[in-house]
Amino acid sequence: MAEKSLFLRSKVIVEPLVDRFFAWPYTIAPVQAAMNLAFLQVPLLESYLQSPQVHVAASNNPELRGGYFINIAEERADEVRDLLASIKRDRADMLRFAEAIAAGQELLRANATGYDLTPLYPKLPPELGGLVELAYDTDNQAQMRFMEPVIYTSDVYQESRQSVQLSFETGIERPFILSTPRLPSPDVLELEIPFRHPGLEELFKTRVRPTTLNHLRDALELDETQAGRVAGMLSEEPGLAEDRHIDAGGRIRYFGHACLVLQTPQAAIVSDPFISADSSAGDRYTLDDLPDFIDLVVITHAHQDHIVLETLLQLRGRIGAIVVPRSSRGNLADPSMALMLKNQGFPVIEVDDFDEVEFPGGKITATPFLGEHCDLDIRGKSTYWAELAGKKVFIGADSSGIDPLLYRYMKQHLGTADMAFLGMECDGAPLTWLYQGLLTVPVTKKMSNSRKLSGSNAEQAAAIMTELGANEAYIYAMGEEPWLGHVMATTYNEDTYQLKQVEEFLTWCKDRGIKAGHLYGQQEWRW
């Protein structure tokens, strides 16, 4: 078997981990990772150890789905205790850096009163030395600007935190990624390698191009036991779908949540890839249905359900480039996706509003993204306008219609869209659900609940369509597909506000002769 030409089996998945917590941008980018480790993950582990049974019970309560509870059986509490001890020991520098950020912010609040900030530099905690600049905005509000490229070269960014687990998709929902660390398991292969390790690229390219076990053993630096586990993940035949390419016209496929695959015979574009590996399910497109080469992956924003390392790592080596929006540079709430992905070994193109990226036979234009980020000063978000095979497609993700005149400017600049894909998660989670670890000043529950991760409601979605003038509208990015549960933890029923709003919008479209739909599972458009 060592020299046979082999393919990776369809159901193989990877879970990228950072100190055993699931990796997403705010646990990889060093400033935000330090804050989340110190002020969210360590307290979460401590809370679990005080009452494991409470965490497990809460994790299995449908009404608390998506809450910050660790779903690890009480008999494994000693392993969680060891994890916490290792974090406090091995990540002490990161924890001190997070504390220094909080102290630096407090220093500014107490002393930055509109006068010269130079005297404050010597008073900053030493952990911040050379890594921040103090500045006022034009309203005399002081802030620290983090020098992100420098911080990636410092001890704050530690690749030793990274590892991956390889296993098979079982169809059983995995624990919620934001709360439950992944402990070792007999059915999981542990690889203590960073995400940028070239061996991972070699492994996942074997979905479309065969290789040998010997090659993978060398590429991944496996011992004999590990090589034996990898051998069980290989097959003599590929699992690829015969219709993954097209030979004429254009095609769009909905792969679930916010993932669209746009194709012509010459090119393929994928938005926010979050793709199932369960090829036996039969009710969805999977990794087997992707084209062999993807010219561009476009990422709309840095939330964990739109930039999904679990999928992206499996595509590295098959991507021309990942297109990401430009961040605001050094803002605590707005890490650079470009820096983060480049440090994981991805080719990246960074865009601002109305920047264009060409691909064979078409182009992508970055367009503005409004709202959805709890009113935080986050610039790293973009919608996209795709032009291919004679159609114009607006990829709207979770952008809101709170100011519909924005979309009038888009139409003036780019023309009329043929199809619009809109997110209508219009009653999203509150500010503290996703950003608690970054807040150095407490906010009240009432304040947090007023600032939500919400897309458009029916009225706002209708306003977007009115301004864009599109002929077709499709609601997506609702997190409804069951295979997304470990990331989304979304629970809807027929009386849920979001679904009522979707129905209201679809009725609005029908009354105006606009072709519309509420996407779920899979769908295909051909022209």
mmCIF file with all atom_site columns, all heavy atoms in Angstrom, residues 15-38:
data_model
loop_
_atom_site.group_PDB
_atom_site.id
_atom_site.type_symbol
_atom_site.label_atom_id
_atom_site.label_alt_id
_atom_site.label_comp_id
_atom_site.label_asym_id
_atom_site.label_entity_id
_atom_site.label_seq_id
_atom_site.pdbx_PDB_ins_code
_atom_site.Cartn_x
_atom_site.Cartn_y
_atom_site.Cartn_z
_atom_site.occupancy
_atom_site.B_iso_or_equiv
_atom_site.pdbx_formal_charge
_atom_site.auth_seq_id
_atom_site.auth_comp_id
_atom_site.auth_asym_id
_atom_site.auth_atom_id
_atom_site.pdbx_PDB_model_num
ATOM 1   N N   . GLU A 1 15 ? -10.220 19.271 12.298 1.00 0.00 ? 15 GLU A N   1
ATOM 2   C CA  . GLU A 1 15 ? -10.570 20.318 13.249 1.00 0.00 ? 15 GLU A CA  1
ATOM 3   C C   . GLU A 1 15 ? -9.280  21.034 13.645 1.00 0.00 ? 15 GLU A C   1
ATOM 4   O O   . GLU A 1 15 ? -8.421  20.443 14.309 1.00 0.00 ? 15 GLU A O   1
ATOM 5   C CB  . GLU A 1 15 ? -11.287 19.748 14.478 1.00 0.00 ? 15 GLU A CB  1
ATOM 6   C CG  . GLU A 1 15 ? -12.696 19.291 14.179 1.00 0.00 ? 15 GLU A CG  1
ATOM 7   C CD  . GLU A 1 15 ? -13.605 19.334 15.400 1.00 0.00 ? 15 GLU A CD  1
ATOM 8   O OE1 . GLU A 1 15 ? -13.158 18.944 16.499 1.00 0.00 ? 15 GLU A OE1 1
ATOM 9   O OE2 . GLU A 1 15 ? -14.759 19.754 15.261 1.00 0.00 ? 15 GLU A OE2 1
ATOM 10  N N   . PRO A 1 16 ? -9.109  22.276 13.227 1.00 0.00 ? 16 PRO A N   1
ATOM 11  C CA  . PRO A 1 16 ? -7.925  23.055 13.618 1.00 0.00 ? 16 PRO A CA  1
ATOM 12  C C   . PRO A 1 16 ? -8.102  23.592 15.031 1.00 0.00 ? 16 PRO A C   1
ATOM 13  O O   . PRO A 1 16 ? -9.148  24.174 15.356 1.00 0.00 ? 16 PRO A O   1
ATOM 14  C CB  . PRO A 1 16 ? -7.889  24.179 12.582 1.00 0.00 ? 16 PRO A CB  1
ATOM 15  C CG  . PRO A 1 16 ? -9.300  24.341 12.149 1.00 0.00 ? 16 PRO A CG  1
ATOM 16  C CD  . PRO A 1 16 ? -9.993  23.019 12.309 1.00 0.00 ? 16 PRO A CD  1
ATOM 17  N N   . LEU A 1 17 ? -7.106  23.402 15.862 1.00 0.00 ? 17 LEU A N   1
ATOM 18  C CA  . LEU A 1 17 ? -7.223  23.748 17.276 1.00 0.00 ? 17 LEU A CA  1
ATOM 19  C C   . LEU A 1 17 ? -6.142  24.731 17.702 1.00 0.00 ? 17 LEU A C   1
ATOM 20  O O   . LEU A 1 17 ? -5.013  24.685 17.203 1.00 0.00 ? 17 LEU A O   1
ATOM 21  C CB  . LEU A 1 17 ? -7.126  22.487 18.144 1.00 0.00 ? 17 LEU A CB  1
ATOM 22  C CG  . LEU A 1 17 ? -8.055  21.320 17.796 1.00 0.00 ? 17 LEU A CG  1
ATOM 23  C CD1 . LEU A 1 17 ? -7.835  20.160 18.758 1.00 0.00 ? 17 LEU A CD1 1
ATOM 24  C CD2 . LEU A 1 17 ? -9.512  21.762 17.804 1.00 0.00 ? 17 LEU A CD2 1
ATOM 25  N N   . VAL A 1 18 ? -6.494  25.587 18.654 1.00 0.00 ? 18 VAL A N   1
ATOM 26  C CA  . VAL A 1 18 ? -5.552  26.502 19.294 1.00 0.00 ? 18 VAL A CA  1
ATOM 27  C C   . VAL A 1 18 ? -5.674  26.283 20.793 1.00 0.00 ? 18 VAL A C   1
ATOM 28  O O   . VAL A 1 18 ? -6.712  26.601 21.388 1.00 0.00 ? 18 VAL A O   1
ATOM 29  C CB  . VAL A 1 18 ? -5.857  27.971 18.925 1.00 0.00 ? 18 VAL A CB  1
ATOM 30  C CG1 . VAL A 1 18 ? -4.844  28.893 19.583 1.00 0.00 ? 18 VAL A CG1 1
ATOM 31  C CG2 . VAL A 1 18 ? -5.857  28.170 17.416 1.00 0.00 ? 18 VAL A CG2 1
ATOM 32  N N   . ASP A 1 19 ? -4.626  25.711 21.394 1.00 0.00 ? 19 ASP A N   1
ATOM 33  C CA  . ASP A 1 19 ? -4.723  25.280 22.790 1.00 0.00 ? 19 ASP A CA  1
ATOM 34  C C   . ASP A 1 19 ? -5.992  24.455 23.016 1.00 0.00 ? 19 ASP A C   1
ATOM 35  O O   . ASP A 1 19 ? -6.694  24.602 24.009 1.00 0.00 ? 19 ASP A O   1
ATOM 36  C CB  . ASP A 1 19 ? -4.669  26.476 23.760 1.00 0.00 ? 19 ASP A CB  1
ATOM 37  C CG  . ASP A 1 19 ? -3.257  26.995 23.939 1.00 0.00 ? 19 ASP A CG  1
ATOM 38  O OD1 . ASP A 1 19 ? -2.306  26.200 23.814 1.00 0.00 ? 19 ASP A OD1 1
ATOM 39  O OD2 . ASP A 1 19 ? -3.106  28.201 24.192 1.00 0.00 ? 19 ASP A OD2 1
ATOM 40  N N   . ARG A 1 20 ? -6.278  23.633 22.048 1.00 0.00 ? 20 ARG A N   1
ATOM 41  C CA  . ARG A 1 20 ? -7.387  22.657 22.054 1.00 0.00 ? 20 ARG A CA  1
ATOM 42  C C   . ARG A 1 20 ? -8.763  23.275 21.881 1.00 0.00 ? 20 ARG A C   1
ATOM 43  O O   . ARG A 1 20 ? -9.755  22.570 21.839 1.00 0.00 ? 20 ARG A O   1
ATOM 44  C CB  . ARG A 1 20 ? -7.354  21.746 23.289 1.00 0.00 ? 20 ARG A CB  1
ATOM 45  C CG  . ARG A 1 20 ? -6.123  20.861 23.324 1.00 0.00 ? 20 ARG A CG  1
ATOM 46  C CD  . ARG A 1 20 ? -6.386  19.516 23.980 1.00 0.00 ? 20 ARG A CD  1
ATOM 47  N NE  . ARG A 1 20 ? -5.340  18.563 23.613 1.00 0.00 ? 20 ARG A NE  1
ATOM 48  C CZ  . ARG A 1 20 ? -5.394  17.749 22.586 1.00 0.00 ? 20 ARG A CZ  1
ATOM 49  N NH1 . ARG A 1 20 ? -6.444  17.750 21.804 1.00 0.00 ? 20 ARG A NH1 1
ATOM 50  N NH2 . ARG A 1 20 ? -4.404  16.927 22.320 1.00 0.00 ? 20 ARG A NH2 1
ATOM 51  N N   . PHE A 1 21 ? -8.852  24.597 21.778 1.00 0.00 ? 21 PHE A N   1
ATOM 52  C CA  . PHE A 1 21 ? -10.102 25.232 21.392 1.00 0.00 ? 21 PHE A CA  1
ATOM 53  C C   . PHE A 1 21 ? -10.143 25.365 19.874 1.00 0.00 ? 21 PHE A C   1
ATOM 54  O O   . PHE A 1 21 ? -9.120  25.572 19.220 1.00 0.00 ? 21 PHE A O   1
ATOM 55  C CB  . PHE A 1 21 ? -10.235 26.617 22.028 1.00 0.00 ? 21 PHE A CB  1
ATOM 56  C CG  . PHE A 1 21 ? -10.631 26.585 23.479 1.00 0.00 ? 21 PHE A CG  1
ATOM 57  C CD1 . PHE A 1 21 ? -9.665  26.584 24.484 1.00 0.00 ? 21 PHE A CD1 1
ATOM 58  C CD2 . PHE A 1 21 ? -11.971 26.559 23.854 1.00 0.00 ? 21 PHE A CD2 1
ATOM 59  C CE1 . PHE A 1 21 ? -10.028 26.560 25.821 1.00 0.00 ? 21 PHE A CE1 1
ATOM 60  C CE2 . PHE A 1 21 ? -12.341 26.543 25.195 1.00 0.00 ? 21 PHE A CE2 1
ATOM 61  C CZ  . PHE A 1 21 ? -11.369 26.535 26.187 1.00 0.00 ? 21 PHE A CZ  1
ATOM 62  N N   . PHE A 1 22 ? -11.328 25.265 19.312 1.00 0.00 ? 22 PHE A N   1
ATOM 63  C CA  . PHE A 1 22 ? -11.507 25.351 17.868 1.00 0.00 ? 22 PHE A CA  1
ATOM 64  C C   . PHE A 1 22 ? -10.994 26.703 17.359 1.00 0.00 ? 22 PHE A C   1
ATOM 65  O O   . PHE A 1 22 ? -11.264 27.745 17.952 1.00 0.00 ? 22 PHE A O   1
ATOM 66  C CB  . PHE A 1 22 ? -12.989 25.191 17.527 1.00 0.00 ? 22 PHE A CB  1
ATOM 67  C CG  . PHE A 1 22 ? -13.259 24.777 16.115 1.00 0.00 ? 22 PHE A CG  1
ATOM 68  C CD1 . PHE A 1 22 ? -13.415 23.445 15.783 1.00 0.00 ? 22 PHE A CD1 1
ATOM 69  C CD2 . PHE A 1 22 ? -13.365 25.729 15.116 1.00 0.00 ? 22 PHE A CD2 1
ATOM 70  C CE1 . PHE A 1 22 ? -13.683 23.065 14.477 1.00 0.00 ? 22 PHE A CE1 1
ATOM 71  C CE2 . PHE A 1 22 ? -13.631 25.362 13.808 1.00 0.00 ? 22 PHE A CE2 1
ATOM 72  C CZ  . PHE A 1 22 ? -13.788 24.022 13.485 1.00 0.00 ? 22 PHE A CZ  1
ATOM 73  N N   . ALA A 1 23 ? -10.280 26.670 16.253 1.00 0.00 ? 23 ALA A N   1
ATOM 74  C CA  . ALA A 1 23 ? -9.646  27.877 15.723 1.00 0.00 ? 23 ALA A CA  1
ATOM 75  C C   . ALA A 1 23 ? -10.621 28.699 14.888 1.00 0.00 ? 23 ALA A C   1
ATOM 76  O O   . ALA A 1 23 ? -11.315 28.177 14.012 1.00 0.00 ? 23 ALA A O   1
ATOM 77  C CB  . ALA A 1 23 ? -8.440  27.498 14.873 1.00 0.00 ? 23 ALA A CB  1
ATOM 78  N N   . TRP A 1 24 ? -10.682 29.979 15.184 1.00 0.00 ? 24 TRP A N   1
ATOM 79  C CA  . TRP A 1 24 ? -11.358 30.952 14.315 1.00 0.00 ? 24 TRP A CA  1
ATOM 80  C C   . TRP A 1 24 ? -10.575 32.249 14.440 1.00 0.00 ? 24 TRP A C   1
ATOM 81  O O   . TRP A 1 24 ? -9.650  32.341 15.257 1.00 0.00 ? 24 TRP A O   1
ATOM 82  C CB  . TRP A 1 24 ? -12.842 31.076 14.673 1.00 0.00 ? 24 TRP A CB  1
ATOM 83  C CG  . TRP A 1 24 ? -13.195 31.705 15.979 1.00 0.00 ? 24 TRP A CG  1
ATOM 84  C CD1 . TRP A 1 24 ? -13.041 31.171 17.221 1.00 0.00 ? 24 TRP A CD1 1
ATOM 85  C CD2 . TRP A 1 24 ? -13.789 32.999 16.165 1.00 0.00 ? 24 TRP A CD2 1
ATOM 86  N NE1 . TRP A 1 24 ? -13.511 32.044 18.173 1.00 0.00 ? 24 TRP A NE1 1
ATOM 87  C CE2 . TRP A 1 24 ? -13.974 33.171 17.556 1.00 0.00 ? 24 TRP A CE2 1
ATOM 88  C CE3 . TRP A 1 24 ? -14.204 34.017 15.297 1.00 0.00 ? 24 TRP A CE3 1
ATOM 89  C CZ2 . TRP A 1 24 ? -14.541 34.334 18.089 1.00 0.00 ? 24 TRP A CZ2 1
ATOM 90  C CZ3 . TRP A 1 24 ? -14.765 35.163 15.837 1.00 0.00 ? 24 TRP A CZ3 1
ATOM 91  C CH2 . TRP A 1 24 ? -14.939 35.309 17.215 1.00 0.00 ? 24 TRP A CH2 1
ATOM 92  N N   . PRO A 1 25 ? -10.840 33.273 13.615 1.00 0.00 ? 25 PRO A N   1
ATOM 93  C CA  . PRO A 1 25 ? -9.938  34.428 13.575 1.00 0.00 ? 25 PRO A CA  1
ATOM 94  C C   . PRO A 1 25 ? -9.607  35.041 14.925 1.00 0.00 ? 25 PRO A C   1
ATOM 95  O O   . PRO A 1 25 ? -8.467  35.451 15.164 1.00 0.00 ? 25 PRO A O   1
ATOM 96  C CB  . PRO A 1 25 ? -10.697 35.418 12.672 1.00 0.00 ? 25 PRO A CB  1
ATOM 97  C CG  . PRO A 1 25 ? -11.399 34.535 11.706 1.00 0.00 ? 25 PRO A CG  1
ATOM 98  C CD  . PRO A 1 25 ? -11.853 33.358 12.523 1.00 0.00 ? 25 PRO A CD  1
ATOM 99  N N   . TYR A 1 26 ? -10.556 35.098 15.858 1.00 0.00 ? 26 TYR A N   1
ATOM 100 C CA  . TYR A 1 26 ? -10.300 35.759 17.128 1.00 0.00 ? 26 TYR A CA  1
ATOM 101 C C   . TYR A 1 26 ? -9.550  34.865 18.114 1.00 0.00 ? 26 TYR A C   1
ATOM 102 O O   . TYR A 1 26 ? -9.227  35.306 19.222 1.00 0.00 ? 26 TYR A O   1
ATOM 103 C CB  . TYR A 1 26 ? -11.610 36.246 17.747 1.00 0.00 ? 26 TYR A CB  1
ATOM 104 C CG  . TYR A 1 26 ? -12.136 37.531 17.132 1.00 0.00 ? 26 TYR A CG  1
ATOM 105 C CD1 . TYR A 1 26 ? -11.945 37.815 15.789 1.00 0.00 ? 26 TYR A CD1 1
ATOM 106 C CD2 . TYR A 1 26 ? -12.835 38.461 17.895 1.00 0.00 ? 26 TYR A CD2 1
ATOM 107 C CE1 . TYR A 1 26 ? -12.431 38.976 15.226 1.00 0.00 ? 26 TYR A CE1 1
ATOM 108 C CE2 . TYR A 1 26 ? -13.325 39.631 17.327 1.00 0.00 ? 26 TYR A CE2 1
ATOM 109 C CZ  . TYR A 1 26 ? -13.115 39.883 15.988 1.00 0.00 ? 26 TYR A CZ  1
ATOM 110 O OH  . TYR A 1 26 ? -13.588 41.036 15.422 1.00 0.00 ? 26 TYR A OH  1
ATOM 111 N N   . THR A 1 27 ? -9.279  33.619 17.743 1.00 0.00 ? 27 THR A N   1
ATOM 112 C CA  . THR A 1 27 ? -8.390  32.790 18.559 1.00 0.00 ? 27 THR A CA  1
ATOM 113 C C   . THR A 1 27 ? -7.060  32.534 17.866 1.00 0.00 ? 27 THR A C   1
ATOM 114 O O   . THR A 1 27 ? -6.196  31.855 18.425 1.00 0.00 ? 27 THR A O   1
ATOM 115 C CB  . THR A 1 27 ? -9.048  31.442 18.927 1.00 0.00 ? 27 THR A CB  1
ATOM 116 O OG1 . THR A 1 27 ? -9.317  30.695 17.735 1.00 0.00 ? 27 THR A OG1 1
ATOM 117 C CG2 . THR A 1 27 ? -10.321 31.666 19.707 1.00 0.00 ? 27 THR A CG2 1
ATOM 118 N N   . ILE A 1 28 ? -6.893  33.063 16.640 1.00 0.00 ? 28 ILE A N   1
ATOM 119 C CA  . ILE A 1 28 ? -5.625  32.923 15.913 1.00 0.00 ? 28 ILE A CA  1
ATOM 120 C C   . ILE A 1 28 ? -4.878  34.248 15.877 1.00 0.00 ? 28 ILE A C   1
ATOM 121 O O   . ILE A 1 28 ? -3.695  34.314 16.226 1.00 0.00 ? 28 ILE A O   1
ATOM 122 C CB  . ILE A 1 28 ? -5.874  32.412 14.474 1.00 0.00 ? 28 ILE A CB  1
ATOM 123 C CG1 . ILE A 1 28 ? -6.578  31.064 14.482 1.00 0.00 ? 28 ILE A CG1 1
ATOM 124 C CG2 . ILE A 1 28 ? -4.537  32.298 13.731 1.00 0.00 ? 28 ILE A CG2 1
ATOM 125 C CD1 . ILE A 1 28 ? -6.992  30.586 13.108 1.00 0.00 ? 28 ILE A CD1 1
ATOM 126 N N   . ALA A 1 29 ? -5.540  35.313 15.440 1.00 0.00 ? 29 ALA A N   1
ATOM 127 C CA  . ALA A 1 29 ? -4.897  36.631 15.408 1.00 0.00 ? 29 ALA A CA  1
ATOM 128 C C   . ALA A 1 29 ? -4.395  36.967 16.813 1.00 0.00 ? 29 ALA A C   1
ATOM 129 O O   . ALA A 1 29 ? -5.155  36.896 17.781 1.00 0.00 ? 29 ALA A O   1
ATOM 130 C CB  . ALA A 1 29 ? -5.886  37.680 14.924 1.00 0.00 ? 29 ALA A CB  1
ATOM 131 N N   . PRO A 1 30 ? -3.122  37.321 16.968 1.00 0.00 ? 30 PRO A N   1
ATOM 132 C CA  . PRO A 1 30 ? -2.499  37.293 18.297 1.00 0.00 ? 30 PRO A CA  1
ATOM 133 C C   . PRO A 1 30 ? -3.096  38.218 19.345 1.00 0.00 ? 30 PRO A C   1
ATOM 134 O O   . PRO A 1 30 ? -3.219  37.824 20.509 1.00 0.00 ? 30 PRO A O   1
ATOM 135 C CB  . PRO A 1 30 ? -1.032  37.644 18.008 1.00 0.00 ? 30 PRO A CB  1
ATOM 136 C CG  . PRO A 1 30 ? -1.005  38.242 16.650 1.00 0.00 ? 30 PRO A CG  1
ATOM 137 C CD  . PRO A 1 30 ? -2.148  37.642 15.904 1.00 0.00 ? 30 PRO A CD  1
ATOM 138 N N   . VAL A 1 31 ? -3.463  39.440 18.991 1.00 0.00 ? 31 VAL A N   1
ATOM 139 C CA  . VAL A 1 31 ? -4.020  40.354 19.994 1.00 0.00 ? 31 VAL A CA  1
ATOM 140 C C   . VAL A 1 31 ? -5.350  39.824 20.495 1.00 0.00 ? 31 VAL A C   1
ATOM 141 O O   . VAL A 1 31 ? -5.581  39.693 21.711 1.00 0.00 ? 31 VAL A O   1
ATOM 142 C CB  . VAL A 1 31 ? -4.192  41.769 19.405 1.00 0.00 ? 31 VAL A CB  1
ATOM 143 C CG1 . VAL A 1 31 ? -4.883  42.680 20.411 1.00 0.00 ? 31 VAL A CG1 1
ATOM 144 C CG2 . VAL A 1 31 ? -2.841  42.353 18.999 1.00 0.00 ? 31 VAL A CG2 1
ATOM 145 N N   . GLN A 1 32 ? -6.230  39.505 19.574 1.00 0.00 ? 32 GLN A N   1
ATOM 146 C CA  . GLN A 1 32 ? -7.556  39.027 19.946 1.00 0.00 ? 32 GLN A CA  1
ATOM 147 C C   . GLN A 1 32 ? -7.473  37.640 20.610 1.00 0.00 ? 32 GLN A C   1
ATOM 148 O O   . GLN A 1 32 ? -8.255  37.339 21.523 1.00 0.00 ? 32 GLN A O   1
ATOM 149 C CB  . GLN A 1 32 ? -8.455  38.968 18.716 1.00 0.00 ? 32 GLN A CB  1
ATOM 150 C CG  . GLN A 1 32 ? -8.744  40.322 18.095 1.00 0.00 ? 32 GLN A CG  1
ATOM 151 C CD  . GLN A 1 32 ? -7.547  40.953 17.367 1.00 0.00 ? 32 GLN A CD  1
ATOM 152 O OE1 . GLN A 1 32 ? -6.619  40.239 16.956 1.00 0.00 ? 32 GLN A OE1 1
ATOM 153 N NE2 . GLN A 1 32 ? -7.569  42.256 17.216 1.00 0.00 ? 32 GLN A NE2 1
ATOM 154 N N   . ALA A 1 33 ? -6.529  36.825 20.177 1.00 0.00 ? 33 ALA A N   1
ATOM 155 C CA  . ALA A 1 33 ? -6.356  35.505 20.791 1.00 0.00 ? 33 ALA A CA  1
ATOM 156 C C   . ALA A 1 33 ? -5.957  35.632 22.253 1.00 0.00 ? 33 ALA A C   1
ATOM 157 O O   . ALA A 1 33 ? -6.452  34.894 23.113 1.00 0.00 ? 33 ALA A O   1
ATOM 158 C CB  . ALA A 1 33 ? -5.297  34.711 20.015 1.00 0.00 ? 33 ALA A CB  1
ATOM 159 N N   . ALA A 1 34 ? -5.055  36.554 22.546 1.00 0.00 ? 34 ALA A N   1
ATOM 160 C CA  . ALA A 1 34 ? -4.632  36.759 23.934 1.00 0.00 ? 34 ALA A CA  1
ATOM 161 C C   . ALA A 1 34 ? -5.802  37.213 24.795 1.00 0.00 ? 34 ALA A C   1
ATOM 162 O O   . ALA A 1 34 ? -5.990  36.726 25.921 1.00 0.00 ? 34 ALA A O   1
ATOM 163 C CB  . ALA A 1 34 ? -3.495  37.779 23.995 1.00 0.00 ? 34 ALA A CB  1
ATOM 164 N N   . MET A 1 35 ? -6.606  38.134 24.272 1.00 0.00 ? 35 MET A N   1
ATOM 165 C CA  . MET A 1 35 ? -7.748  38.638 25.033 1.00 0.00 ? 35 MET A CA  1
ATOM 166 C C   . MET A 1 35 ? -8.772  37.537 25.284 1.00 0.00 ? 35 MET A C   1
ATOM 167 O O   . MET A 1 35 ? -9.288  37.389 26.400 1.00 0.00 ? 35 MET A O   1
ATOM 168 C CB  . MET A 1 35 ? -8.397  39.803 24.285 1.00 0.00 ? 35 MET A CB  1
ATOM 169 C CG  . MET A 1 35 ? -7.497  41.024 24.120 1.00 0.00 ? 35 MET A CG  1
ATOM 170 S SD  . MET A 1 35 ? -7.213  41.893 25.678 1.00 0.00 ? 35 MET A SD  1
ATOM 171 C CE  . MET A 1 35 ? -8.752  42.807 25.836 1.00 0.00 ? 35 MET A CE  1
ATOM 172 N N   . ASN A 1 36 ? -9.082  36.761 24.257 1.00 0.00 ? 36 ASN A N   1
ATOM 173 C CA  . ASN A 1 36 ? -10.059 35.694 24.425 1.00 0.00 ? 36 ASN A CA  1
ATOM 174 C C   . ASN A 1 36 ? -9.545  34.594 25.342 1.00 0.00 ? 36 ASN A C   1
ATOM 175 O O   . ASN A 1 36 ? -10.302 34.018 26.124 1.00 0.00 ? 36 ASN A O   1
ATOM 176 C CB  . ASN A 1 36 ? -10.455 35.115 23.063 1.00 0.00 ? 36 ASN A CB  1
ATOM 177 C CG  . ASN A 1 36 ? -11.583 35.894 22.422 1.00 0.00 ? 36 ASN A CG  1
ATOM 178 O OD1 . ASN A 1 36 ? -12.712 35.864 22.883 1.00 0.00 ? 36 ASN A OD1 1
ATOM 179 N ND2 . ASN A 1 36 ? -11.267 36.620 21.359 1.00 0.00 ? 36 ASN A ND2 1
ATOM 180 N N   . LEU A 1 37 ? -8.250  34.309 25.267 1.00 0.00 ? 37 LEU A N   1
ATOM 181 C CA  . LEU A 1 37 ? -7.682  33.296 26.147 1.00 0.00 ? 37 LEU A CA  1
ATOM 182 C C   . LEU A 1 37 ? -7.788  33.734 27.604 1.00 0.00 ? 37 LEU A C   1
ATOM 183 O O   . LEU A 1 37 ? -8.243  32.971 28.475 1.00 0.00 ? 37 LEU A O   1
ATOM 184 C CB  . LEU A 1 37 ? -6.214  33.044 25.779 1.00 0.00 ? 37 LEU A CB  1
ATOM 185 C CG  . LEU A 1 37 ? -5.516  31.910 26.535 1.00 0.00 ? 37 LEU A CG  1
ATOM 186 C CD1 . LEU A 1 37 ? -6.126  30.559 26.176 1.00 0.00 ? 37 LEU A CD1 1
ATOM 187 C CD2 . LEU A 1 37 ? -4.019  31.915 26.239 1.00 0.00 ? 37 LEU A CD2 1
ATOM 188 N N   . ALA A 1 38 ? -7.393  34.978 27.879 1.00 0.00 ? 38 ALA A N   1
ATOM 189 C CA  . ALA A 1 38 ? -7.342  35.456 29.263 1.00 0.00 ? 38 ALA A CA  1
ATOM 190 C C   . ALA A 1 38 ? -8.722  35.720 29.850 1.00 0.00 ? 38 ALA A C   1
ATOM 191 O O   . ALA A 1 38 ? -8.980  35.398 31.019 1.00 0.00 ? 38 ALA A O   1
ATOM 192 C CB  . ALA A 1 38 ? -6.491  36.728 29.335 1.00 0.00 ? 38 ALA A CB  1
#
